[in-house]
């Protein structure tokens, strides 16, 4: 995997939603100091509590942002893919990284130092406003995680994650595709299961044993069918009902 040149970095930054409305000269200003680096699965990009040196743009691949308890249990906050930005908040508040970051697949990251990014925001207030909007969106996502952990059962959180994977797969196949996998009469939708049961447990705030048990129950009830590294969604209506069921 070769590292991008300066022109490719500028093109990638322009495609990032956070920077999409910036003018070419503004993109060039950000691209000049951006440093590309490779990151392999399991390699720690930064750890919770480390001083914030700057932010990262995902050029390719994917990273997970997570917190870890003193007992070693993970809670995954989000998985960012190409076009995502990581650690924009501590760049502004001066605090340490609030969570840890590890690639989940081979990735190329673009690092922009805290000093360079702050200077760009001072020179272009519109960029600062867009960063605030991004931080607000991330805050809403975290509030959603808190609500799920507070009100939904493990079964409900697992159903919600499967539905999130369904939506991502449908968007990948065709953004304009009609909804499939509804009820029991239509063709089941096959989605790739790229996460291990331990990783699923970390995403929904539980343990692997409960993930395994609830997947087996969904299968026994005809809601899904496990098929190797794929899941067939056989009854999406039931899955949506389960995702809304409160504890």
């Amino acid at each position: 995997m070769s590292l991008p040149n300066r022109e490719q970095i500028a093109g990638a930054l322009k495609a990032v939603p956070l920077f999409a409305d910036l003018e070419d000269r503004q993109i060039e200003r950000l691209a000049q100091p951006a440093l590309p680096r490779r990151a392999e699965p399991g390699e720690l990009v930064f750890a919770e509590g480390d001083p914030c040196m700057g932010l990262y743009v995902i050029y390719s691949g994917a990273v997970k942002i997570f917190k870890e308890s003193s007992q070693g249990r993970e809670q995954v906050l989000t998985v960012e893919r190409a076009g995502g930005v990581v650690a924009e908040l501590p760049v502004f508040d001066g605090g340490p990284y609030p969570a840890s970051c590890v690639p989940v697949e081979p990735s190329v990251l673009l690092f922009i130092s805290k000093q360079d990014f702050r200077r760009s925001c001072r020179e272009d207030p519109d960029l600062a406003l867009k960063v605030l909007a991004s931080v607000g969106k991330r805050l809403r996502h975290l509030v959603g995680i808190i609500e799920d952990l507070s009100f939904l059962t493990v079964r409900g959180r697992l159903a919600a994650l499967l539905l999130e994977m369904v939506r991502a797969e449908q968007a990948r196949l065709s953004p304009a595709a009609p909804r499939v996998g509804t009820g029991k009469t239509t063709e089941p939708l096959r989605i790739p299961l790229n996460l291990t049961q331990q990783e699923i447990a970390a995403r929904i705030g539980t343990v692997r044993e409960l993930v395994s048990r609830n997947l087996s129950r969904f299968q026994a009830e005809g809601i899904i069918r496990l098929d190797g590294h794929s899941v067939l969604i056989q009854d999406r209506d039931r899955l949506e009902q389960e995702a809304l069921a409160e504890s």
Side-chain angles (χ1 to χ4, degrees):
M1 186 191 312
S2 60
L3 293 177
N5 58 34
R6 196 60 53 192
E7 183 179 351
Q8 291 170 320
I9 290 174
L13 293 180
K14 185 64 177 177
V16 172
L18 184 61
F19 309 137
D21 294 335
L22 297 184
E23 298 176 6
D24 289 344
R25 62 177 180 80
Q26 297 170 309
I27 291 292
E28 287 296 330
R29 185 180 293 121
L30 283 174
Q32 283 300 320
L35 299 176
R37 56 164 288 191
R38 297 184 185 87
E40 297 299 323
E43 176 186 344
L44 189 65
V45 177
F46 56 79
E48 178 181 354
D50 285 350
C52 175
M53 306 305 293
L55 60 80
Y56 293 85
V57 175
I58 316 303
Y59 180 82
S60 64
V63 302
K64 69 176 179 180
I65 310 301
F66 67 97
K67 295 182 75 71
E68 189 172 30
S69 72
S70 56
Q71 290 77 34
R73 180 171 163 183
E74 280 188 11
Q75 172 64 58
V76 176
L77 303 179
T78 188
V79 173
E80 292 287 350
R81 297 191 173 273
V85 180
V86 175
E88 67 271 35
L89 178 58
V91 162
F92 284 100
D93 71 7
Y97 290 116
S100 301
C101 175
V102 169
V104 294
E105 56 189 64
S107 304
V108 172
L109 311 178
L110 306 177
F111 174 75
I112 302 176
S113 74
K114 178 168 61 177
Q115 293 78 10
D116 288 329
F117 194 72
R118 282 182 168 181
R119 183 172 59 251
S120 294
C121 286
R122 284 195 298 269
E123 294 172 354
D124 294 293
D126 286 346
L127 175 57
L129 290 175
K130 287 182 69 70
V131 172
L132 287 176
S134 174
V135 170
K137 182 179 179 181
R138 198 177 299 279
L139 177 59
R140 290 180 184 275
H141 173 73
L142 294 177
V143 169
I145 291 178
I146 293 171
E147 288 177 343
D148 287 349
L149 292 174
S150 300
F151 301 123
L152 296 183
T153 62
V154 170
R155 181 180 171 97
R157 300 201 297 272
L158 179 58
L161 178 60
L162 290 173
L163 287 170
E164 179 183 325
M165 295 165 65
V166 166
R167 288 189 288 269
E169 180 66 5
Q170 289 184 315
R172 185 188 70 83
L173 293 174
S174 174
R179 180 181 175 191
V180 295
T182 304
K184 292 187 176 181
T185 58
T186 55
E187 184 72 19
L189 173 66
R190 180 183 295 272
I191 58 173
L193 190 58
N194 298 322
L195 302 174
T196 66
Q197 292 188 3
Q198 185 61 50
E199 290 169 334
I200 292 174
R203 288 282 296 271
I204 65 175
T206 187
V207 293
R208 186 192 62 78
E209 292 77 11
L210 288 179
V211 170
S212 177
R213 188 181 308 165
N214 281 281
L215 283 173
S216 296
R217 288 175 177 170
F218 282 158
Q219 182 165 243
E221 294 167 17
I223 299 174
I224 66 170
R225 180 159 64 85
L226 301 173
D227 184 18
H229 293 291
S230 300
V231 178
L232 289 172
I233 307 300
Q234 297 179 300
D235 192 339
R236 180 165 170 172
D237 286 346
R238 282 283 308 282
L239 198 61
E240 290 179 340
Q241 291 170 12
E242 295 292 345
L244 296 174
E246 295 187 357
S247 56

